[in-house]
Amino acid sequence: MQALTNLLFQLPQKETHRDGIPILPGGLPLVGHAPFNIGSPLTFLRNAASKVGPLFWTKNMGGWSLVCMGEPGFELLKNRVTSSEFIREQAPDFIGDSLLSRDGVPHRNLRSAMSGAFTPRGLTSSGAAAISAEVIEASVASLPQQGPFSLLAETQKLALDIIFRIMGIDRSELDAWNRNYRDFVMGALPVRIDLPFSPARRASRGRRWLDARLASLISAARGKPDMKGTLAALLAARDEEGNALGDADLIQNLRLLALAGHETSASVMAWLGIVLAQRPDLWEKLRDEAMVAPGLPRSPEELKRHPFAEALFREVLRMYPPIAFTAREATEDLVLHGRRVRRGTMITVPIGAYGYDPAFFPEPENFDPSRWMGRRVPPSAIETAAFGGGPHFCLGYHLAWVEVVQFATAFARELTRRGVRPQLAPGAAPPKLRHLPFGQPPKKTRLELVRAT
């Protein structure tokens, strides 16, 4: 990627600046910098910043975007001078009028009603943490006994099963939910041509199926006051004005929760397993911690018994962030890195890049869970930037934390019980982080379980 960036700077360009801000060289006709930004956007943007500075323009098929690195970019996530409402127009069918595309009072009311169910205590009291532990234990126990396998495929399935189970979906319906959800996810692709069997047609069909089933699920749950799980907690929630969530809000945000909640958690779990397969020293530390615990953690108090599993979660999240960047639209003129930025400018904030900033993480290229151990204060906002920041900080962050610590513990306990340990399949090269669109390990990456010595 460094060689590619160097090549970009050798290509001729008509314009070098816009509004006094550097334009990244190498934009191609029609597609701009998009081809160079596919797969490894964080490496691309970090290399670009090393050449032109922390503020620069890129051009993609959708037009110009201003990239803002460093703390000034993170400050934009607080939404004081920016907005995320443009997402509603860009992806009306996929994102819709959800938390992700709301700002101000509408966002605050919706967020206040939903947030309680996703705190550590909310996940415990609703039974969601216990459901997650049950699914994870069963899924890890069913990992192949022998032969190479894709851990990502396993974690994707278990993470989606957790989301659907905490929404109150019966086990017998999981296959249909998985199938239609996979169709719906195709709506994230930029291809909008609506033809038979096209991604757009399949996405539309999947959304209709999901929406109809969610409406039916919500209706049935309203008649079950003793129901456990996140859906039940959301039905009982009230916003700052005392209002309950309506069906439309529940449907759109549960759809979004399934998308963001399962893909991000699945990616982090898969990377964690891959790291352990390459680092026997870390495997031994996790194994020792997991085997003295009475079981998987299901409450904030029980999570405290797993500091090394939590440290692995945070270090994997830092080095293998599931989301590369987010975007905001400037709602007024502002100054970034000493340059004036006009109202209406689309600004890209590379949230995944903060984990590699030496100002916050010494020797950021080293995978070192000890940097999280023995701390007396929670991680700072910028240390959890991979899940966003400000009012749009990911609602499912605590669920991901619980899930990944549970998975790490279950993985170590089950494999120790079998007398095996993970390793990369023979001939497999250490995988590199790529975002297509999530930061998942390559699908071809395989693990195998070998006899522990």
Side-chain angles (χ1 to χ4, degrees), residues 273-348:
I274 289 169
V275 168
L276 293 172
Q278 300 173 84
R279 293 283 301 273
D281 59 321
L282 301 182
W283 170 253
E284 291 174 5
K285 289 181 180 180
L286 175 64
R287 179 198 62 198
D288 292 346
E289 178 182 271
M291 296 310 293
V292 299
L296 305 194
R298 290 168 167 79
S299 69
E301 291 72 24
E302 293 177 3
L303 280 169
K304 295 176 183 177
R305 301 173 185 164
H306 302 266
F308 189 69
E310 180 181 342
L312 285 172
F313 160 66
R314 299 199 181 283
E315 189 69 349
V316 169
L317 184 62
R318 179 188 72 80
M319 288 199 70
Y320 303 100
I323 306 296
F325 47 76
T326 186
R328 294 290 187 270
E329 183 179 8
T331 54
E332 60 184 69
D333 291 355
L334 60 142
V335 175
L336 296 173
H337 292 291
R339 302 293 180 93
R340 179 173 175 269
V341 175
R342 297 175 185 272
R343 175 184 177 183
T345 299
M346 197 65 63
I347 307 171
T348 295

Side-chain angles (χ1 to χ4, degrees), residues 239-256:
D239 64 20
E240 294 177 343
E241 299 175 359
N243 299 317
L245 292 167
D247 285 9
D249 281 337
L250 282 166
I251 289 172
Q252 295 195 79
N253 285 284
L254 287 171
R255 239 196 292 115
L256 180 62

Side-chain angles (χ1 to χ4, degrees), residues 115 121 123 129 134 147 159 162 190 196 355 395 407 419 434:
S115 60
R121 294 202 176 279
L123 293 169
E134 177 187 331
I162 290 171
L395 191 67
F407 172 78
R434 297 182 66 81

Side-chain angles (χ1 to χ4, degrees), residues 117 122-123 125-129 131 165-168 226-235:
L123 293 169
S125 62
S126 70
I131 292 171
R165 287 282 307 282
I166 66 176
M167 286 162 50
D226 57 343
M227 180 179 171
K228 289 290 186 180
T230 299
L231 177 57
L234 291 174
L235 289 173

Side-chain angles (χ1 to χ4, degrees), residues 8-30:
L8 290 181
F9 279 83
Q10 297 175 18
L11 298 176
Q13 63 182 116
K14 293 181 180 180
E15 291 183 284
T16 60
H17 290 72
R18 281 172 57 90
D19 296 331
I21 300 171
I23 297 173
L24 186 66
L28 302 176
L30 300 179

Side-chain angles (χ1 to χ4, degrees), residues 169-187:
I169 296 168
D170 188 83
R171 289 187 182 90
S172 63
E173 298 181 333
L174 288 178
D175 286 343
W177 280 85
N178 271 280
R179 185 172 58 255
N180 282 278
Y181 175 76
R182 289 297 172 193
D183 282 347
F184 165 68
V185 168
M186 290 188 173

